[in-house]
């Protein structure tokens, strides 16, 4: 499982002209799932996202988690994180999990984040989405469960 985490001042996702999720500040998570991902990967990354210290303390050091600082999550499924462009110019997505396997894990990940006490907004699985964000910092972290 891969998550691209972007700290944001504001973010939203729109599908067919309708906003399906929006946050004032927090994290935008682009979530990719591969074939061998399990509930263990979900639990590991949800805990990591909740506890990662990416917010500044009084001294300007990244010492506070989103739980301490406050904020919400905008979670967007993104199979293209498993795109392989090593050969040729057209990426292969063979490493991305099929939708019937990926969607339940993405939903479980979002629920695990909620169980950590986070407010989670989402895009729509499998939809063409317009994601807008104001990247704060910019702070962008790549997390992987394996």
């Amino acid at each position: 499982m891969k998550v691209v985490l972007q700290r944001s001042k504001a973010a939203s996702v729109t599908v067919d002209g309708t906003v399906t999720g929006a946050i004032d500040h927090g994290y935008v998570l682009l979530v990719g799932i591969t074939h061998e991902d399990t509930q263990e990967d979900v639990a590991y990354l949800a805990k990591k996202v909740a506890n990662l210290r990416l917010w500044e303390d009084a001294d300007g050091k990244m010492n506070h988690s989103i739980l301490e600082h406050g904020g919400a999550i905008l979670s967007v499924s993104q199979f293209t994180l498993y795109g392989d462009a090593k050969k040729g110019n057209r990426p292969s997505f063979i490493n991305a999990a099929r939708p019937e396997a990926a969607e339940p894990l993405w939903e479980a990940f979002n629920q695990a984040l909620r169980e950590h006490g986070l407010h989670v907004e989402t895009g729509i699985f499998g939809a063409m989405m317009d994601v807008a964000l104001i990247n704060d910092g910019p702070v962008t972290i790549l997390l992987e469960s394996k």
Side-chain angles (χ1 to χ4, degrees), residues 65-101:
S65 71
I66 192 169
L67 295 171
E68 298 163 316
H69 180 269
I73 301 289
L74 179 61
S75 177
V76 178
S77 63
Q78 188 159 4
F79 77 93
T80 60
L81 290 178
Y82 279 99
D84 183 354
K86 290 179 185 147
K87 289 183 172 181
N89 294 317
R90 182 171 179 254
S92 167
F93 298 104
I94 196 163
N95 292 323
R98 300 277 312 147
E100 56 273 11

Side-chain angles (χ1 to χ4, degrees), residues 11-128:
S12 65
V13 62
T14 304
V15 177
D16 295 328
T18 301
V19 175
T20 64
I23 62 171
D24 289 327
H25 70 283
Y27 297 151
V28 174
L29 306 179
L30 306 177
V31 182
I33 298 169
T34 191
H35 306 290
E36 53 276 344
D37 288 336
T38 66
Q39 291 295 328
E40 288 179 3
D41 299 286
V42 164
Y44 170 80
L45 282 178
K47 183 177 179 182
K48 180 65 78 175
V49 167
N51 293 295
L52 202 58
R53 298 184 311 178
L54 295 177
W55 300 93
E56 288 83 9
D57 62 15
D59 296 324
K61 299 202 183 298
M62 288 185 183
N63 263 336
H64 295 298
S65 71
I66 192 169
L67 295 171
E68 298 163 316
H69 180 269
I73 301 289
L74 179 61
S75 177
V76 178
S77 63
Q78 188 159 4
F79 77 93
T80 60
L81 290 178
Y82 279 99
D84 183 354
K86 290 179 185 147
K87 289 183 172 181
N89 294 317
R90 182 171 179 254
S92 167
F93 298 104
I94 196 163
N95 292 323
R98 300 277 312 147
E100 56 273 11
E103 185 173 11
L105 286 174
W106 177 65
E107 294 289 354
F109 175 68
N110 295 332
Q111 183 57 35
L113 291 168
R114 290 180 183 104
E115 290 168 4
H116 281 285
L118 295 164
H119 176 79
V120 179
E121 298 274 324
T122 68
I124 296 176
F125 187 90
M128 289 295 294

